[in-house]
Amino acid sequence: MKLTISEDQRELQSVAREMLADLAPLSLARAFLEGKGDATTLDQQLGYLGWYAVGLEDDGFGVQGLCMLAERCGAQAAPTALVDTAVAARIAAAIGGDDELTARVAVGEAATALAVVEAGADWTLAGVEATLRAAGDDLVLDGVKVGVQAAPRVDALLVLAEHAGEPAWALVPAEAAGVTLLDGHALDPAADCRVVELSGVTVPAARALVGDDAGAVERALRVGAVATAAEGVGAASAALDLAIEYAREREQFGAPIGSFQALKHLMADAHVDRESAWSSVLYAAAALDEGDAEAAEAVAVAKAWSARASRAVVEAALQVFGGIAFTWEHDAHLLQRRVLAAERRFGDAIQHERALGARLAARRVGAPT
Amino acid sequence: MKLALDDGELALREEARAFLAANVPDPAQIPHDFDAKVEFLRAWQARLHGAGLVGLSWPEAYGGRGASLTEQIVVNAEMARAGAPIVIGNVGLDVVGPSLVEQGTDAQKARFLDRILSGADIWCQGFSEVGAGSDLAALRTKARITDDGGFVIDGHKIWTSYAQHAQWCAVLARTDANAPAHRGISYILVDMSSAGIEIRPLVQVTGDAEFSEVYFDAVEVPAENLLGELNGGWAIAMHTLSHERGWYGVGRQAVLRVLLDGMVEEARALRRGGRPALEDEDVRATLARAHIGLEVLKHQGLRSVGQMIADGHPGLESSVDKVVLGRVEQEMAAAGLDALGAHAALGAGAPAGVDPEAWQHVYLYARAGSVYGGSAQIQKNIIAERILGLPRGAR
Ligand SMILES: Cc1cc2nc3c(=O)[nH]c(=O)nc-3n(C[C@H](O)[C@H](O)[C@H](O)COP(=O)(O)OP(=O)(O)OC[C@H]3O[C@@H](n4cnc5c(N)ncnc54)[C@H](O)[C@@H]3O)c2cc1C
């Protein structure tokens, strides 16, 4: 009963640190900010390195390994479809069958974007207005999705839609007829979001998940929630590291500002926040890897805590910089944007806290665990 | 498998569960009279020791089981869950004992360790002084060295938990007034029945007299009661404090978990706006956040324990654990008060199943979480300078 990581995982972490610093320097996120981002090389390399598939098989890395990669993507505010692809792979696996695209997505060979949020629907999956309707042997998909990350660069979209009054999922090739990508400007430019219009898109039944596989979907979304928590922690933590470096150099009143106790304690609190958040992420990921009965709860805990902690960390970092980090030229806001984006995806703190409150109320004390 | 209990941990849990199910006394049996209560708790510790459930992680040679730290944690969690009385000898078990195991002479080990386990000797820790709290190295209690290598101690300690019923005290005293502050301190084991010791209990805000002032007036201590090297006391004290911080949080978490679960039940029994408080969205959210904090405290603790086992000793991260503990405990205590609504600050006349006074005690006690064992600010100084590498400066 302890929370440790293996040598292999440590190795993955350090390779990821090096590779992503190289493939996705903050200048890449900045290029997206300026509207001229090109992530072709990054996308290719992620596929080539096999990172989309980390944790899918019993590879010794697990969801913890995925979180380590996501943490690094966050730290570089990297424009990747890593987490969405990991989630889509799990839902595609639940679809099963021998459709070629579904099979490629299921093993992490095809970068995929999740299309979940709508003007009136969020990560609780309630209120979805996109529809998936029978049309002969096939299905047909209609609706408008927002905040679809990396949409122009993925092989496929996995779309949440309503079918017979239940949430259903449809896998759609990015190039399919009836799919239109519209401007999707959002706070984090490196998320490369689009609004996606789906108009009469034909979906073969072999690419749809309808009916009662809610368990598989919930498990997949949990992987997304914990990996996104990791991404947020990574971004916030990178901002804190920049702030610490700055505080050692910048002088006022004849002394480095990092020697002032008010700033020390601000940064120490931020360190406590990032460490505790990372502990909760590692724990929840391990709970998923180990099939722990309390995994759902651990994920909600990690996502809620990390969301609040990551924001506190990045805000502390910004304060350390004073005016300089308030400029467009400074890199801190690239990380700040990523923190805020990650905080919302796969359920914000309020959504997960509410779910935990309901669980607490439903639970009876004294039941052995 | 890592989070899941391993076979050894599972077996121990079953063993502890069975023992506790058969042996945990009805709380009504615990005497109110303070001295009688101490005797009762001492007997309880002796029974736990008889069952091999205290000091598990101590080496077998010294009466432990040579168990892993995680096994001890599992057992402690079972005790909390079973509503077992507190282990009165915890300063000896968790703080002084491990230092004796590492630094003690064979004679000291033979003399003290078994009696710590059985509760025959209760220990207290005489570190803090009026003028030396956070700045512990400023301590002025003096131990003059006699011709035969023994000591004569003069001074005044304060906030000494359990002093009034302790047989022994681990005293930090200055043995070299001319050395730099940290290098002139020794760690001396003092018999509390020695002539010249006066104990004045201090009543805490909770109403309990858990700590005391201890006055030393020419107290004679033989040479054999020095632990470790002469003037080497600082390192031992720091080592034990980090040991204490290193896994204390996980154990404390188990106790807090039981309290929070109890608060959920109270919120079911209590009415707010005419319906059960637990159905109020804000109350639920407040309790949910407290619950999240407690879980994260556990996650943080299990990660640190994992690191501690890998490294063989606690690291600087224990300062992070301590800050998390203080914060989470205080937030949880406040959440409970908030859930109690109109009854939070009352006592008499509460609905059945609701005990505001018990929770007020939890709340009042929680304030100490950011003070004892090195205050939150001191931990943050350590984090900032020694983990984050920020420059030292004016304090
Ligand atoms: C319940 C309880 C049990 C205890 N049990 C024991 C015991 O068994 N044995 C024992 O020896 N001691 C014990 N203590 C004492 C405890 O270790 C001290 O209270 C603690 O170290 C703080 O010292 P102080 O009370 O003198 O406060 P001070 O050191 O005077 O601190 C007052 C305030 O100033 C802040 N401060 C001090 N220095 C700095 C700094 N450099 N930077 C920023 N802020 C600073 C502190 O954080 C605090 O907020 C106990 C305390 C409590 C509350």
Side-chain angles (χ1 to χ4, degrees):
Chain A
M1 185 204 48
K2 57 184 188 246
L3 191 50
T4 51
I5 60 174
S6 68
E7 268 318 304
D8 284 354
Q9 288 174 323
R10 212 179 290 279
E11 179 70 23
L12 178 70
Q13 223 171 3
S14 77
V15 170
R17 176 177 291 271
E18 242 170 72
M19 297 293 298
L20 282 165
D22 194 35
L23 289 167
L26 283 177
S27 55
L28 180 59
R30 178 162 296 277
F32 275 84
L33 183 71
E34 308 294 358
K36 24 181 215 246
D38 177 2
T40 320
T41 314
L42 174 64
D43 291 341
Q44 281 168 354
Q45 290 295 316
L46 287 192
Y48 173 73
L49 289 162
W51 284 356
Y52 289 128
V54 162
L56 285 180
E57 299 282 315
D58 193 3
D59 57 6
F61 297 127
V63 178
Q64 275 192 333
L66 173 67
C67 288
M68 289 165 178
L69 299 180
E71 190 267 346
R72 280 295 102 199
C73 288
Q76 303 296 142
T80 77
L82 180 81
V83 176
D84 277 14
T85 300
V87 174
R90 287 163 171 84
I91 295 177
I95 296 175
D98 49 18
D99 173 71
E100 197 206 322
L101 178 65
T102 309
R104 283 182 56 227
V105 173
V107 295
E109 269 177 32
T112 306
L114 294 183
V116 173
V117 178
E118 299 176 7
D122 60 10
W123 292 95
T124 60
L125 312 193
V128 174
E129 287 185 355
T131 56
L132 189 61
R133 296 282 178 259
D137 288 344
D138 293 330
L139 297 146
V140 60
L141 177 65
D142 286 281
V144 179
K145 294 290 176 176
V146 306
V148 183
Q149 291 194 352
R153 295 151 36 209
V154 291
D155 302 310
L157 306 171
L158 183 60
V159 184
L160 171 70
E162 175 268 325
H163 175 87
E166 298 286 333
W169 298 82
L171 187 63
V172 177
E175 312 288 305
V179 175
T180 314
L181 303 189
L182 304 172
D183 168 48
H185 59 270
L187 181 68
D188 176 10
D192 202 9
C193 287
R194 292 295 181 281
V195 168
V196 178
E197 235 175 43
L198 303 145
S199 169
V201 180
T202 302
V203 181
R207 290 186 186 156
L209 186 69
V210 294
D212 56 5
D213 238 327
V217 170
E218 281 171 12
R219 281 193 296 279
L221 292 176
R222 274 173 215 143
V223 171
V226 71
T228 307
E231 204 177 335
V233 174
S237 190
L240 179 60
D241 286 338
L242 293 176
I244 291 166
E245 212 174 291
Y246 184 74
R248 289 201 200 108
E249 306 296 328
R250 165 79 177 163
E251 294 196 0
Q252 285 294 280
F253 300 98
I257 57 170
S259 66
F260 302 138
Q261 197 178 47
L263 284 195
K264 278 186 182 164
H265 285 198
L266 190 68
M267 287 183 266
D269 273 327
H271 180 72
V272 169
D273 273 328
R274 71 167 162 188
E275 287 302 315
S276 57
W278 186 237
S279 297
S280 73
V281 165
L282 285 179
Y283 185 95
L288 288 171
D289 284 331
E290 296 181 19
D292 189 296
E294 303 284 321
E297 174 163 335
V299 170
V301 165
K303 185 68 168 75
W305 181 272
S306 300
R308 293 193 188 278
S310 299
R311 177 131 49 114
V313 170
V314 77
E315 287 171 354
L318 293 170
Q319 180 65 21
V320 170
F321 281 112
I324 189 78
F326 196 64
T327 62
W328 191 255
E329 278 92 336
H330 199 275
D331 281 344
H333 71 110
L334 299 170
L335 296 161
Q336 179 187 20
R337 289 165 191 275
R338 177 54 54 91
V339 167
L340 289 161
E343 192 183 316
R344 304 288 142 183
R345 287 175 64 79
F346 297 94
D348 61 1
I350 288 178
Q351 178 180 326
H352 290 288
E353 285 165 2
R354 188 159 291 178
L356 288 165
R359 270 171 174 272
L360 267 190
R363 197 167 75 182
R364 282 292 164 176
V365 176
T369 53
Chain B
M1 286 292 175
K2 299 175 246 169
L3 297 184
L5 302 191
D6 66 26
D7 290 346
E9 290 160 352
L10 271 176
L12 254 173
R13 187 177 73 173
E14 289 318 305
E15 184 187 331
R17 250 182 213 179
F19 174 84
L20 293 166
N23 291 282
V24 168
D26 177 354
Q29 279 180 21
I30 302 177
H32 284 290
D33 171 71
F34 203 74
D35 292 334
K37 181 172 166 184
V38 169
E39 280 321 301
F40 180 92
L41 291 173
R42 199 196 282 274
W44 168 245
Q45 185 178 329
R47 268 159 81 195
L48 286 173
H49 176 50
L53 294 178
V54 290
L56 271 85
S57 57
W58 291 22
E60 280 178 75
Y62 305 127
R65 293 197 190 192
S68 69
L69 210 46
T70 56
E71 289 170 323
Q72 179 72 67
I73 288 168
V74 167
V75 169
N76 290 358
E78 285 305 309
M79 290 194 208
R81 210 212 308 248
I86 60 154
V87 178
I88 181 106
N90 61 13
V91 172
L93 289 168
D94 298 340
V95 183
V96 181
S99 298
L100 278 163
V101 167
E102 274 184 41
Q103 303 278 339
T105 62
D106 289 344
Q108 287 170 338
K109 289 173 185 166
R111 180 171 175 198
F112 294 121
L113 290 176
D114 188 62
R115 294 177 61 84
I116 288 178
L117 288 171
S118 70
D121 287 343
I122 293 173
W123 282 73
C124 59
Q125 184 167 267
F127 290 7
S128 304
E129 299 178 6
V130 171
S134 298
D135 186 9
L136 186 57
L139 62 87
R140 292 171 61 184
T141 292
K142 217 178 102 190
R144 184 168 56 79
I145 304 167
T146 58
D147 293 343
D148 58 1
F151 306 94
V152 177
I153 301 183
D154 282 283
H156 171 201
K157 295 289 177 180
I158 192 166
W159 321 126
T160 319
S161 299
Y162 309 111
Q164 64 275 43
H165 40 261
Q167 282 66 47
W168 287 88
C169 185
V171 174
L172 286 186
R174 191 158 298 288
T175 37
D176 184 348
N178 300 318
H182 300 84
R183 305 229 182 90
I185 293 170
S186 296
Y187 192 113
I188 302 171
L189 313 173
V190 179
D191 183 342
M192 291 295 275
S193 65
S194 311
I197 292 184
E198 188 195 339
I199 299 163
R200 296 186 198 159
L202 290 166
V203 180
Q204 302 179 337
V205 284
T206 55
D208 300 334
E210 199 185 71
F211 53 36
S212 300
E213 289 182 87
V214 184
Y215 290 84
F216 297 83
D217 180 11
V219 176
E220 292 178 22
V221 182
E224 72 230 35
N225 286 14
L226 174 71
L227 183 64
E229 308 262 313
L230 186 67
N231 298 322
W234 183 257
I236 304 176
M238 290 306 106
H239 181 79
T240 50
L241 285 177
S242 72
H243 248 280
E244 189 189 5
R245 289 198 284 269
W247 65 289
Y248 181 72
V250 195
R252 185 79 192 136
Q253 190 273 341
V255 174
L256 298 175
R257 161 58 52 204
V258 173
L259 292 172
L260 184 67
D261 285 351
M263 178 46 66
V264 171
E265 295 310 304
E266 293 194 39
R268 227 186 275 287
L270 184 80
R271 299 184 86 73
R272 184 184 262 270
R275 56 187 183 134
L278 194 57
E279 279 166 28
D280 182 292
E281 279 213 352
D282 288 325
V283 169
R284 261 195 203 187
T286 302
L287 294 177
R289 280 195 291 273
H291 165 76
I292 291 168
L294 276 190
E295 287 301 293
V296 173
L297 173 61
K298 179 174 81 184
H299 304 160
Q300 176 66 29
L302 291 179
R303 180 166 156 229
S304 295
V305 166
Q307 191 64 45
M308 198 168 150
I309 290 173
D311 297 348
H313 57 83
L316 291 169
E317 313 81 57
S318 67
S319 291
V320 175
D321 299 7
K322 181 71 185 355
V323 176
V324 175
L325 170 61
R327 193 166 115 184
V328 162
E329 180 162 351
Q330 290 172 353
E331 283 172 8
M332 184 203 91
L337 274 195
D338 289 346
L340 286 172
H343 284 279
L346 303 178
V354 177
D355 188 351
E357 284 171 319
W359 202 265
Q360 289 157 16
H361 192 285
V362 170
Y363 175 81
L364 292 171
Y365 189 79
R367 304 319 303 170
S370 52
V371 176
Y372 65 71
S375 75
Q377 285 70 34
I378 294 303
Q379 305 311 324
K380 289 178 198 178
N381 289 345
I382 294 173
I383 292 168
E385 290 173 7
R386 298 178 58 195
I387 299 180
L388 304 182
L390 291 168
R392 289 180 72 97
R395 299 180 164 217

